[in-house]
Amino acid sequence: MTTTTTMQVAKERQLDWLLEEVLGARRGAAVRTPPRAIPWLAAAVALFAVGAALGVAWLRAADERSMAQEPDQTIPWHGCHGAGGIDEVPADVSALRCFDFDDAACARLAAKASALPRLTHLDLSGMDVDARGVSRSLPITDAGVRALAPFTGLRWLSLEQCHQMKGEGLQVLEAMPRLEHLDLTYSGVTSPALERLDRLPSLRTLVLSHCMDFHGRSLAAVARLPGLRRLELQACTTARPLPRTRGRLAHDACELRHGSTCATARVASAGRPQAASRPVAKSRRRRPCRTASASPTPSSQPSRRCRSRRCCSAAASR
Amino acid sequence: VSSSSPPSASVAATAGPPPATDGRDRTAVWRYLRMLGASADEADDLAQDTLLVALRDGLPAEPERARAFLRGIARNLWLRTRRWWFRRREREVAMAVEQLWLATAAADDGDALIARLHDCLDGLQGRARQALERHYRDGLPWPQVAAELGMKPNGTKTLVQRARQLLRQCLERSGP
């Protein structure tokens, strides 16, 4: 406000005072009170809150979308066919898909770990086909998995189709603090190995589909994984968890957002779905069941997402 | 009930420290507060608070400095009652009011101004005088004044603006 303007305002107020005093005004308040800004402030706060809620919801949805069930197709995968192809792996590779690997090839690849500092995605599930067009079984065992210990920067690891891998070698994963995705589909992972997985604090996705060598009680250890958001147990027909395990799953795995359990074992005596066939969290993107008769009954699905421990307790008690 | 007249009661007629101010100071402070924009009720309260502060802290010996000190207290108390987002603007207006007060009313606490306005109002006749009296004396809102005068609200607004301009010019012409 300029000096002239303020002086004009001062003169107006002087005249107001003089007129009121001379004419004997019965009312006061020469200065007009401006409209209260509090409603606007409340509206701004409400708008900000709505925006924040929408932003958080969008981020959570984006986070779910970003959790890769399959290898991210946008990542430039480099293929390595057999032990002979290891020498051709470029030094700046970040995602490596290996075909026809065995323990020796794993050890040879691990020997080159220092030369692959950017490697974060490793897929050992690739299988070449023979002359008859039949895929060869992967001969990777726990020794081969143990050989992966130098890759401490891995975030994504697939050991799919490693039938001979029983899980003892998975201890080396404890030296990979950034590991977020572990695919053990069609592996021979056993209960003791699963019960050690709770030492992987960063693990967010665990795929145990078609694993038939572990007991359902091991899922209690899986439920203790602090950041687990996706658990796939499709066709784990030997997983027969105890009712107590079901409660632990529901109680501990509060971050779990997706559980896929089609064709998983049931308890025949009680006629109720097992814990493994009863996802602890609402599965919003569940894959279609291959065996319709083995799919979980609709009544076994929790009606809401499990977000808080209190909510989980309620879900466990249901 | 608020009154447009300045209070005449003196401060601190009770036992205790000797009174540092008299009723004249209170009138001056009250008028100064009204010129700052305070309503009659606000001016009553703030003048009381101003004199209490002066009693607590004491006043300079020289009358001119004492008056300036009182005006400073009153001004600060007035600004404190304003909302903080208008306080900067009000501070600028208060500085202008201080200049205007020193130029026109400091010598006699505004008595001469009031006398001159009486004279100026005598020269104002017709609907303009009527509108001012109905609003300032009887407290009618402007729309009601317009209705009584049979005018549109905008017409009354223009009429009053012209009357006020004439009064200001009259005050400045007759001023020192």
Side-chain angles (χ1 to χ4, degrees):
Chain A
M1 194 185 293
T2 63
T3 309
T4 311
T5 312
T6 54
M7 186 54 76
Q8 287 297 327
V9 173
K11 285 181 178 177
E12 289 294 326
R13 290 187 183 179
Q14 185 189 43
L15 189 58
D16 279 333
W17 153 57
L18 287 171
L19 283 169
E20 287 178 7
E21 188 162 340
V22 169
L23 294 174
R26 291 177 189 164
R27 58 180 193 87
V31 175
R32 293 179 188 87
T33 304
R36 283 175 161 262
I38 290 175
W40 290 103
L41 190 64
V45 169
L47 197 62
F48 176 77
V50 169
L54 288 176
V56 168
W58 184 81
L59 284 176
R60 289 184 76 124
D63 191 29
E64 283 190 11
R65 284 194 300 272
S66 67
M67 285 191 304
Q69 170 66 18
E70 300 297 334
D72 192 345
Q73 298 302 319
T74 61
I75 296 177
W77 286 87
H78 181 86
C80 177
H81 293 265
I86 293 177
D87 293 334
E88 298 170 6
V89 176
D92 60 345
V93 67
S94 62
L96 185 63
R97 178 173 288 139
C98 303
F99 296 85
D100 278 345
F101 261 45
D102 54 11
D103 291 347
C106 288
R108 194 171 164 191
L109 181 66
K112 203 184 171 186
S114 60
L116 305 171
R118 299 178 60 184
L119 186 65
T120 57
H121 289 58
L122 181 60
D123 184 359
L124 294 174
S125 64
M127 293 184 293
D128 280 339
V129 294
D130 57 14
R132 293 178 299 170
V134 179
S135 59
R136 304 185 185 102
S137 176
L138 281 178
I140 297 175
T141 66
D142 288 292
V145 177
R146 266 194 291 270
L148 300 176
F151 293 108
T152 55
L154 282 185
R155 298 175 60 188
W156 198 99
L157 176 63
S158 175
L159 297 171
E160 190 179 340
Q161 305 288 347
C162 299
H163 302 279
Q164 300 179 38
M165 197 270 298
K166 300 300 179 188
E168 292 134 10
L170 293 179
Q171 292 180 22
V172 299
L173 305 185
E174 295 169 16
M176 301 175 185
R178 299 171 61 193
L179 189 66
E180 295 177 0
H181 177 98
L182 179 61
D183 191 347
L184 298 172
T185 305
Y186 284 114
S187 69
V189 66
T190 57
S191 294
L194 274 187
E195 287 167 5
R196 291 181 63 91
L197 286 183
D198 61 346
R199 304 181 185 185
L200 305 178
S202 300
L203 201 62
R204 302 173 76 178
T205 307
L206 178 62
V207 185
L208 294 170
S209 297
H210 300 279
C211 296
M212 303 181 189
D213 295 329
F214 71 90
H215 194 277
R217 65 169 173 262
S218 311
L219 295 177
V222 171
R224 285 197 296 271
L225 281 165
L228 190 66
R229 292 188 176 184
R230 189 183 189 98
L231 174 64
E232 291 209 8
L233 295 166
Q234 292 187 51
C236 297
T237 53
T238 60
R240 294 177 179 277
L242 303 173
R244 190 174 54 188
T245 308
R246 182 176 58 207
R248 293 294 296 273
L249 260 178
H251 185 273
D252 291 345
C254 280
E255 287 294 321
L256 196 62
R257 296 180 183 178
H258 181 99
S260 186
T261 57
C262 291
T264 312
R266 292 161 173 256
V267 176
S269 59
R272 294 168 55 193
Q274 278 283 345
S277 62
R278 179 181 180 181
V280 294
K282 186 178 181 181
S283 174
R284 294 194 296 183
R285 292 181 294 161
R286 200 148 42 82
R287 287 178 169 179
C289 297
R290 293 175 186 170
T291 309
S293 60
S295 62
T297 56
S299 59
S300 66
Q301 303 292 328
S303 59
R304 52 181 175 156
R305 294 176 68 186
C306 188
R307 288 182 180 275
S308 66
R309 188 162 293 275
R310 186 175 165 192
C311 157
C312 290
S313 303
S317 63
R318 278 199 295 271
Chain B
V1 177
S2 64
S3 165
S4 61
S5 303
S8 57
S10 64
V11 175
T14 58
T21 59
D22 55 14
R24 194 66 203 165
D25 290 335
R26 184 179 175 83
T27 302
V29 169
W30 189 89
R31 284 178 172 168
Y32 181 73
L33 285 164
R34 295 283 286 133
M35 204 164 147
L36 282 172
S39 66
D41 289 338
E42 283 177 316
D44 281 341
D45 294 341
L46 291 174
Q48 183 72 13
D49 292 342
T50 302
L51 297 177
L52 285 174
V53 171
L55 280 174
R56 188 191 64 199
D57 298 343
L59 284 174
E62 299 86 355
E64 288 304 317
R65 285 188 61 199
R67 291 282 177 89
F69 187 72
L70 285 173
R71 287 199 303 273
I73 297 171
R75 187 167 57 242
N76 289 332
L77 290 176
W78 160 250
L79 290 174
R80 200 180 292 177
T81 63
R82 300 293 94 188
R83 292 198 180 98
W84 63 268
W85 53 85
F86 295 115
R87 215 169 279 169
R88 182 177 175 185
R89 174 178 174 272
E90 284 298 322
R91 190 175 291 113
E92 292 176 1
V93 173
M95 290 300 109
V97 166
E98 174 73 11
Q99 290 179 17
L100 196 60
W101 177 268
L102 290 173
T104 59
D108 54 0
D109 299 332
D111 289 341
L113 264 179
I114 291 171
R116 290 210 306 272
L117 184 65
H118 273 293
D119 297 339
C120 295
L121 279 173
D122 290 340
L124 196 66
Q125 299 296 333
R127 291 195 298 184
R129 172 70 185 257
Q130 196 177 348
L132 289 177
E133 285 184 347
R134 295 296 283 158
H135 178 73
Y136 286 104
R137 189 188 64 200
D138 303 333
L140 290 184
W142 288 118
Q144 201 169 337
V145 173
E148 279 195 5
L149 296 179
M151 300 174 67
K152 292 180 180 176
N154 281 341
T156 313
K157 190 176 174 183
T158 307
L159 179 73
V160 171
Q161 278 179 347
R162 284 181 185 161
R164 287 171 64 96
Q165 192 175 358
L166 286 174
L167 289 174
R168 271 203 305 274
Q169 289 172 354
C170 174
L171 284 174
E172 287 170 3
R173 270 200 312 271
S174 60

